[in-house]
Amino acid sequence: MAVKNAMTSDYLHSAYGGESMAHMRYLTWATMAEKEGFKNIGRLFEAIAYAEQVHANNHYKEIGGETAADATVVAGAVFGTGKTVDNLQGAINGELHEVEQMYPVYLNAAEFQDEKGAQRSFHFALEAEKIHADLFAQAQKAAKEGKDMEFKNVYICPICGHTILDGAPDNCPVCGAKKELYKEF
């Protein structure tokens, strides 16, 4: 079912655009990190790119509609590539923007307009982005020291994008998905 309110619809479109761009940007930065010898930081970028795809898919689903329609999508993004340390700063900045400004406002509007599906989609993304900002900060700290991150695997919940290192929980703390559903990187 499509959202009923234009403002929430606009926010879903914007979030879809931003998450789609983050997905592609992180894949590009993953390749660069690997070329610089940061194999695990590259895997972290790839895993979080998948989480961003999960968010984009959730937003797209909530936009809904029975027929396709054109839409202009406005979403801010970091463009360009640099050294891994710089790319990580771009990732941190983007994630913090989502956590501190974008998703709280979008979630508030969806709650005010009683758009349950959009509320869920925005909540899922907000909770995951908090983790992403922290993980990128850890990665940047290591990269600044010329070191790679140390972890075995990254696990992503395919329902909400929850992200965790070295072992999936029995149930996702955000959406309740079972451990077996997590995607491992």
Side-chain angles (χ1 to χ4, degrees):
M1 182 169 164
V3 291
K4 299 178 286 295
N5 295 283
M7 180 178 282
T8 297
S9 179
D10 287 346
Y11 287 163
L12 283 165
H13 281 88
S14 178
Y16 171 78
E19 297 291 359
S20 298
M21 289 189 291
H23 167 77
M24 293 307 300
R25 184 172 49 253
Y26 292 168
L27 291 177
T28 299
W29 290 349
T31 301
M32 296 186 69
E34 290 168 9
K35 286 180 182 175
E36 289 182 40
F38 299 117
K39 181 181 176 196
N40 283 341
I41 292 173
R43 280 196 306 148
L44 181 68
F45 270 128
E46 288 176 5
I48 294 177
Y50 174 74
E52 306 301 3
Q53 181 182 10
V54 167
H55 300 157
N57 287 338
N58 287 343
H59 299 330
Y60 188 85
K61 182 181 126 204
E62 293 306 326
I63 291 167
E66 296 298 316
T67 58
D70 289 337
T72 299
V73 177
V74 178
V78 173
F79 283 91
T81 52
K83 296 286 187 187
T84 295
V85 169
D86 301 322
N87 295 339
L88 285 163
Q89 188 62 55
I92 293 165
N93 293 347
E95 300 294 331
L96 289 177
H97 169 75
E98 290 175 328
V99 168
E100 295 170 356
Q101 298 192 33
M102 188 180 97
Y103 279 123
V105 170
Y106 290 4
L107 181 57
N108 186 276
E111 288 169 349
F112 179 78
Q113 296 184 328
D114 198 32
E115 294 281 8
K116 301 291 188 209
Q119 288 175 46
R120 182 179 50 256
S121 191
F122 293 149
H123 170 71
F124 286 173
L126 176 60
E127 294 307 310
E129 306 306 10
K130 293 174 185 176
I131 297 166
H132 298 165
D134 181 60
L135 289 172
F136 284 140
Q138 291 176 43
Q140 188 185 49
K141 183 176 186 279
K144 282 181 176 179
E145 296 172 1
K147 299 176 185 172
D148 200 0
M149 284 184 81
E150 292 187 24
F151 60 81
K152 292 180 182 130
N153 296 300
V154 184
Y155 294 85
I156 307 290
C157 175
I159 307 301
C160 69
H162 174 257
T163 305
I164 190 164
L165 302 180
D166 294 330
D170 289 334
N171 293 95
C172 175
V174 178
C175 72
K178 298 212 178 293
K179 177 180 191 170
E180 298 77 30
L181 293 177
Y182 273 73
K183 184 168 177 164
E184 180 181 343
F185 290 83

